[in-house]
């Protein structure tokens, strides 16, 4: 049975010739799994210029990540994450090339105030 919906084309997380890679649980890889809500994580963020920024934050639910380091109007996307305590609950990290990231398919990083305002939830 064929589905009528067309899934977006996924590009690889990294290629053998990738010049710059991040080691993390990629949102489009192992990091798409649920982790403990409000668990402290190090977010690997990427912007439109493909700059990468590592900040402490937390996973606030499905496709919702927050950090006090992110401005309320920031345009950072979550490329992936690592547990802040250094554990690796999903095994080895994914190897991710920020140049290949499909930005429009990555969740935005939000300031906790923005999450609370949008959801009425105390995400911190």
């Amino acid at each position: 049975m064929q589905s009528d919906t067309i899934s977006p084309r996924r590009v690889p997380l990294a290629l053998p010739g990738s010049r710059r890679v991040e080691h993390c649980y990629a949102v489009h890889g192992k990091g798409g799994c649920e982790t403990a809500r409000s668990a402290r994580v190090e977010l690997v963020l990427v912007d439109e210029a493909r700059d990468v920024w590592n900040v402490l934050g937390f996973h606030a639910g499905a496709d919702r990540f927050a950090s006090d380091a992110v401005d309320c109007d920031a345009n950072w996307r979550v490329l992936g994450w690592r547990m802040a305590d250094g554990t690796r609950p999903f095994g080895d990290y994914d190897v991710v090339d920020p140049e290949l990231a499909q930005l429009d398919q990555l969740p935005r990083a939000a300031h906790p105030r923005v999450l609370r305002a949008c959801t009425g939830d105390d995400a911190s």
Side-chain angles (χ1 to χ4, degrees):
M1 183 172 177
Q2 225 175 356
S3 171
D4 291 338
T5 59
I6 299 172
S7 62
R9 184 177 156 270
R10 293 287 169 108
V11 298
L13 297 176
L15 299 171
S18 291
R19 292 182 303 133
R20 180 176 62 145
V21 296
E22 289 290 323
H23 297 269
C24 60
Y25 293 127
V27 169
H28 287 154
K30 295 176 185 176
C33 303
E34 281 290 319
T35 186
R37 181 176 160 88
S38 298
R40 293 296 290 174
V41 296
E42 179 182 2
L43 298 174
V44 180
L45 306 180
V46 63
D47 66 5
E48 290 181 15
R50 306 303 169 144
D51 294 322
V52 174
W53 188 24
N54 296 314
V55 298
L56 287 178
F58 59 93
H59 188 198
D63 285 335
R64 291 175 36 208
F65 297 87
S67 174
D68 289 329
V70 178
D71 290 335
C72 288
D73 60 348
N75 198 22
W76 290 95
R77 301 290 183 139
V78 180
L79 185 63
W81 55 271
R82 298 181 273 267
M83 293 297 293
D85 64 7
T87 60
R88 295 184 185 189
F90 302 115
D92 291 336
Y93 291 135
D94 296 311
V95 178
V96 190
D97 182 344
E99 297 296 330
L100 298 177
Q102 294 175 302
L103 296 178
D104 60 332
Q105 296 180 25
L106 295 175
R108 291 186 189 274
H111 191 279
R113 277 193 314 256
V114 172
L115 286 182
R116 283 191 296 273
C118 292
T119 65
D121 184 25
D122 185 5
S124 56

